[in-house]
Amino acid sequence: QFEYPVSPECVDWSVLYPTLCKDGVMKNDVNFADIGCGFGGLLIKLGENFPEHVSVGIEIREKVASYVDQRIKALRTENEGRYNNVAVIRTNAMKCITNFFKGGSLDKLFFCF
């Protein structure tokens, strides 16, 4: 079972993007979603190549999502001020993606299986 928000308005983005939030509210919407992000290769490159955009990876596998989360945290620690625009969520995108994003709010969706 996955925990997921009731609606996009209920998402606490400050947990994923602490430096991009003020009083629990994101300064910018998430621009890119990498569905089935795997080990985060594309997600990390999106963060590097589009530093002004916010990207989120969505992965269903617990250990893989945990690995990507640890990878992002390590990159943030090693590269101060960078990689604050990427994060990963462990959930089933097929069932709950509409609970995270308002209609039309994403610029790009990536499905790389």
Side-chain angles (χ1 to χ4, degrees):
Q1 282 293 29
F2 297 101
E3 289 185 23
Y4 55 89
V6 176
S7 69
E9 292 77 23
C10 297
V11 178
D12 182 5
W13 293 111
S14 66
V15 175
L16 300 172
Y17 305 100
T19 62
L20 301 181
C21 294
K22 185 174 182 176
D23 299 324
V25 178
M26 282 273 281
K27 297 174 190 171
N28 303 320
D29 286 335
V30 174
N31 304 104
F32 304 144
D34 182 7
I35 310 301
C37 69
F39 293 98
L42 175 62
L43 180 64
I44 299 303
K45 286 297 180 187
L46 288 171
E48 291 172 356
N49 293 326
F50 299 95
E52 69 285 353
H53 289 80
V54 180
S55 303
V56 66
I58 299 177
E59 177 58 51
I60 197 168
R61 297 171 292 175
E62 182 178 5
K63 289 185 179 184
V64 176
S66 177
Y67 168 81
V68 176
D69 185 52
Q70 291 174 14
R71 182 178 179 189
I72 291 168
K73 288 177 180 171
L75 285 167
R76 287 176 180 173
T77 300
E78 294 169 6
N79 304 278
E80 192 173 330
R82 295 183 64 203
Y83 301 101
N84 293 313
N85 62 332
V86 294
V88 66
I89 298 171
R90 180 179 179 257
T91 195
N92 185 341
M94 287 176 45
K95 291 185 177 182
C96 336
I97 195 165
T98 57
N99 296 71
F100 286 92
F101 309 106
K102 294 180 261 185
S105 66
L106 293 169
D107 295 331
K108 303 271 186 214
L109 281 166
F110 296 92
F111 297 89
C112 304
F113 294 101

